[in-house]
Amino acid sequence: MVSAALFWLIHVVPGDPGRNALGPYATESQVAAWNSAHGAEAGPLEGYVSWLAGFATGDWGVSLVYDVPVLGLVMGRFVNSVALGVLAFALLVPLAIGIGALQARTEGSRGDRATTVTLMTLASVPEFVIGVVFLIVFAVVLPIAPVRATDGLGSGVVLHVGAMLLPALTLALGTVSIVARTARSSIIDTTRAPFYRAAVVRGLSGGELFRRHVARNALGPTIAVLGLCLGVFIGGSAVVETLFGYPGLGELLVTATQRKDLPVLTAGVMVTGFVSLAALLATDLALAAVDPRVRLSEGS
């Protein structure tokens, strides 16, 4: 479904692929020859089958902008986005769940209300605003991070991670409020359930009570939200990667869209779609492993 929708959307957009590839000074005969050589003159069904067969066998074509094989270009950028997404996710999980658990523990207090206001304010701020503030503070006023992430990549582990830290923090802070609020609500609902009160009456307390009766029951909705965040992080954030000049898949797709590099655009969107579906599948499997109310059984 993703591939069919993608192929249809790209081919209904006005523009001649041959003209986009060869530029405004190419003759009509040169444009026609390019379209014929690259299968751009084929009908919708024939063109879709040919393109999908090539994509499935690893023949993703050649980039019109970079003049390199699309497979290596897209996968190289995808690896960079995975590294950035994993770092952002590693920052998000303990921060968001910790804030949510602390709010649940102090429900109704001034600290809980102040944290709620702060999280809601943060949720209303766009990612590019957070990123610009980080650049001004940590790259200009306090020059402890590079202005462009590419300046620190490949310069050793410490500098490499340091170059990714600001974009990773921007990604994490953009979603921390949603995850923290979900964790807070889930923990509060669990502590009000009858089985929790029964466990308290039986004498359970402290870490054992939280681990056995709170965490596994309360983490279900939080894991579902985290799965969506992971898919977005790994698939590449166009806004954050473009702002920080990070060479990821999102930044590549922005360039491909602006310059109508159709082979790169189709391959990049397909990879992003696969990543999103894989993240949803991993989320379902994690829910089945963590939540005792969800079990995968034969035939279900």
Side-chain angles (χ1 to χ4, degrees):
M1 292 175 64
V2 172
S3 65
L6 172 63
F7 187 84
W8 178 78
L9 287 173
I10 287 179
H11 284 77
V12 299
V13 174
D16 189 329
R19 180 63 64 186
N20 295 333
L22 301 178
Y25 301 107
T27 64
E28 292 298 331
S29 60
Q30 290 173 329
V31 172
W34 189 97
N35 286 333
S36 178
H38 291 80
E41 295 180 341
L45 181 59
E46 180 183 355
Y48 171 71
V49 173
S50 175
W51 166 73
L52 188 60
F55 183 85
T57 57
D59 181 13
W60 295 5
V62 178
S63 170
L64 306 181
V65 174
Y66 300 96
D67 195 27
V68 296
V70 174
L71 178 60
L73 177 63
V74 170
M75 295 311 296
R77 294 295 190 94
F78 174 65
V79 170
N80 291 340
S81 290
V82 170
L84 179 62
V86 169
L87 179 58
F89 193 74
L91 295 173
L92 171 66
V93 172
L95 178 63
I97 294 181
I99 292 175
L102 180 61
Q103 281 193 279
R105 186 179 181 86
T106 60
E107 179 190 6
S109 65
R110 292 182 179 179
D112 178 32
R113 292 193 293 269
T115 304
T116 297
V117 172
T118 302
L119 291 176
M120 292 299 100
T121 303
L122 185 62
S124 65
V125 179
E127 285 183 338
F128 70 87
V129 175
I130 300 175
V132 169
V133 172
F134 279 166
L135 285 174
I136 293 174
V137 174
F138 297 107
V140 179
V141 179
L142 302 173
I144 59 178
V147 176
R148 292 182 60 83
T150 51
D151 297 338
L153 298 181
S155 304
V157 177
V158 176
L159 293 179
H160 193 100
V161 174
M164 294 193 303
L165 189 58
L166 289 185
L169 276 173
T170 303
L171 282 174
L173 290 180
T175 55
V176 67
S177 59
I178 300 174
V179 180
R181 294 294 295 173
T182 303
R184 175 187 181 276
S185 299
S186 299
I187 293 174
I188 291 176
D189 291 342
T190 302
T191 56
R192 292 175 178 174
F195 69 85
Y196 176 83
R197 297 174 183 174
V200 173
V201 171
R202 292 198 304 270
L204 294 179
S205 62
E208 184 181 8
L209 176 62
F210 184 83
R211 183 178 62 257
R212 293 179 56 184
H213 295 278
V214 177
R216 298 187 65 183
N217 289 280
L219 284 180
T222 307
I223 289 176
V225 175
L226 285 173
L228 297 176
C229 295
L230 181 61
V232 173
F233 288 174
I234 294 181
S237 173
V239 174
V240 173
E241 291 180 357
T242 303
L243 176 64
F244 288 93
Y246 184 81
L249 185 57
E251 190 269 343
L252 179 65
L253 289 179
V254 171
T255 302
T257 303
Q258 292 172 339
R259 304 182 66 176
K260 296 183 180 180
D261 193 344
L262 297 185
V264 172
L265 185 60
T266 53
V269 174
M270 285 294 291
V271 170
T272 303
F274 278 124
V275 169
S276 300
L277 293 175
L280 292 176
L281 175 60
T283 300
D284 288 341
L285 295 177
L287 284 173
V290 173
D291 194 333
R293 296 166 295 184
V294 180
R295 287 291 181 267
L296 297 179
S297 58
E298 184 178 356
S300 63

